[in-house]
Amino acid sequence: MNTANKLTLTRVVMIPLFLVILYWDFPFHQYVALAVFVLASVTDFVDGYIARHYDQVTDFGKFMDPLADKVLVMAAMLWFVEAGRFPAWALLIVIVREFAVTALRLVAVEGGRVIAAAWSGKVKTASTMVGICVMFLFPHQVVDIVVVAVIVLTTVYSGVEYFVKNKDVMDWKDL
């Protein structure tokens, strides 16, 4: 197993640790959880760099890396929904976008085409991870509203961009 995949697996293991710490009520537990979230988020960028720079791209990494990112982010968002700081409708938008883009990619692969991660998707991921950190650091209603707005806007924009740029993948005449 190469270094990039080890980092991805480390991130996967950090997800339940992050959640356990969030729900374990001890002094400053949210800051400890934030530290785990930040460390897990950093492994996302590091494993991607290592995989590309040192030619460690694998099918496992292509599958597990984005899945780990999504589960990490969804875990944090679900906790914020439960805490009343992130509206469920906004989380639903994020989830629908993820399913839709994944479905688009599956249809494309069936046609022999790979849809690479778009720049807007990377911006969405980074702004979501940063936004979640900001929500942990500054628990205030105005901050929450701004972060949710940024997450929803970048999510919708990137989702629309994937479909516009890859509209030829879908066979719309079958509708």
Side-chain angles (χ1 to χ4, degrees), residues 102-114:
T102 299
L104 178 68
R105 284 185 164 140
L106 289 172
V107 170
V109 164
E110 195 173 291
R113 181 164 150 195
V114 175

Side-chain angles (χ1 to χ4, degrees), residues 3 5 7 13 23 29 34 36 43 58-59 63 70 75 120 125 154 169 171-172:
T3 304
N5 288 343
L7 285 169
V13 170
Y23 286 100
H29 69 105
L34 171 61
V36 172
T43 67
T58 64
D59 288 339
F63 170 75
K70 287 167 184 38
S120 65
T125 299
T154 57
V169 170
D171 191 3
W172 298 104

Side-chain angles (χ1 to χ4, degrees), residues 17-18 21-22 26-38:
L17 176 64
F18 166 69
I21 293 168
L22 270 177
F26 61 89
F28 307 108
H29 69 105
Q30 288 184 18
Y31 294 110
V32 176
L34 171 61
V36 172
F37 182 86
V38 168

Side-chain angles (χ1 to χ4, degrees), residues 46-174:
V46 173
D47 70 14
Y49 173 80
I50 289 172
R52 287 184 300 277
H53 189 72
Y54 295 103
D55 195 30
Q56 294 186 6
V57 175
T58 64
D59 288 339
F60 174 82
K62 288 179 194 175
F63 170 75
M64 190 56 72
D65 180 66
L67 181 62
D69 297 343
K70 287 167 184 38
V71 174
L72 174 65
V73 166
M74 296 294 171
M77 287 183 189
L78 281 166
W79 185 82
F80 281 120
V81 167
E82 187 174 340
R85 296 183 55 203
F86 199 99
W89 62 263
L91 178 56
L92 182 61
I93 289 171
V94 172
I95 291 170
V96 167
R97 182 258 184 218
E98 296 303 336
F99 278 118
V101 169
T102 299
L104 178 68
R105 284 185 164 140
L106 289 172
V107 170
V109 164
E110 195 173 291
R113 181 164 150 195
V114 175
I115 298 176
W119 178 83
S120 65
K122 293 177 186 284
V123 169
K124 176 210 52 106
T125 299
S127 63
T128 299
M129 288 178 170
V130 169
I132 288 168
C133 293
V134 168
M135 287 178 72
F136 274 115
L137 289 171
F138 306 103
H140 189 277
Q141 185 178 12
V142 173
V143 171
D144 294 350
I145 290 168
V146 170
V147 168
V148 169
V150 168
I151 289 172
V152 168
L153 290 173
T154 57
T155 296
V156 169
Y157 180 85
S158 69
V160 168
E161 182 184 59
Y162 272 101
F163 279 88
V164 168
K165 286 187 173 182
N166 299 287
K167 61 184 173 217
D168 59 304
V169 170
M170 302 299 288
D171 191 3
W172 298 104
K173 63 183 175 236
D174 288 344

